Amino acid sequence: MKTAFQYSFFVSEKLKTSMAIGYINKLTMNEFRELNRKFITGNVYSPFFVAARRWGANYHSLLYTGPEGEQDFATGRTEWSYQLNTSFHYMIPGTRNFLGLEFNKGWRHGDFDLTIRSQMRVSVADNLLIGIVGGIPVRREEQRLSSFLRLIYEPGHRRGH
């Protein structure tokens, strides 16, 4: 189970740039066949920094970076890694939908991994979007082909100020 928060501390229409800090917390669980033992097996701590920039009307780039600590409750050990993700998106005119590519780079114990993720975001209601992501690892050391969906809820906000 994953929870997250983000605080935007810099937003500039003139520079077409925004920056934020945030935190993601993820509880890790046993595989289904092992659920009779222990349900929650660990915790992942992930503070992050994110910067985004708009290039013209339809192109956007994003930088997401920060450490990640993965704690195993059985051993009490926490292993740290570092991630640096960059992405480039094309916003479809007149919509909140986009197509894009994300490059997820990670370092753990001196090892480097890269996964390329194709992305699509589709608006299904005024405040509800679905993100569709497919992942292709450059080297198949730890990751395989992957895909997932993101459910994105954006509470209403006032415009025009």
Side-chain angles (χ1 to χ4, degrees):
M1 175 162 47
K2 188 186 286 190
T3 56
F5 74 87
Q6 177 177 311
Y7 174 72
S8 297
F9 64 88
F10 178 80
V11 177
S12 171
E13 283 293 322
K14 181 181 176 186
L15 298 175
K16 300 178 183 174
T17 301
S18 64
M19 290 185 244
I21 56 171
Y23 179 78
I24 296 173
N25 197 86
K26 180 171 56 172
L27 295 175
T28 56
M29 295 179 250
N30 249 327
E31 296 179 16
F32 285 117
R33 64 177 174 253
E34 300 289 328
L35 288 180
N36 60 341
R37 293 184 185 175
K38 196 172 209 176
F39 186 62
I40 304 294
T41 60
N43 195 39
V44 179
Y45 312 95
S46 186
F48 64 86
F49 167 79
V50 63
R53 185 156 197 314
R54 187 175 65 221
W55 307 90
N58 300 94
Y59 296 95
H60 299 255
S61 61
L62 185 126
L63 169 95
Y64 174 100
T65 188
E68 186 174 87
E70 189 169 341
Q71 180 184 18
D72 183 326
F73 289 162
T75 65
R77 292 186 53 206
T78 302
E79 290 196 20
W80 288 91
S81 61
Y82 190 81
Q83 57 187 339
L84 174 65
N85 303 335
T86 50
S87 63
F88 188 73
H89 295 105
Y90 172 74
M91 298 293 295
I92 298 170
T95 72
R96 297 188 326 163
N97 305 334
F98 69 66
L99 299 170
L101 279 177
E102 181 173 304
F103 300 90
N104 296 151
K105 297 163 283 297
W107 293 265
R108 180 186 301 255
H109 304 295
D111 187 37
F112 173 76
D113 287 309
L114 171 64
T115 301
I116 300 170
R117 298 192 189 282
S118 58
Q119 300 187 353
M120 180 171 62
R121 184 178 76 181
V122 180
S123 178
V124 294
D126 285 342
N127 60 353
L128 189 63
L129 301 106
I130 295 178
I132 304 165
V133 181
I136 303 167
V138 173
R139 291 185 314 194
R140 293 175 50 161
E141 290 178 340
E142 290 191 30
Q143 296 225 7
R144 303 278 188 237
L145 290 174
S146 62
S147 65
F148 58 90
L149 298 175
R150 288 183 177 125
L151 183 60
I152 306 161
Y153 172 74
E154 294 180 345
H157 56 279
R158 298 185 308 174
R159 297 180 185 258
H161 59 272

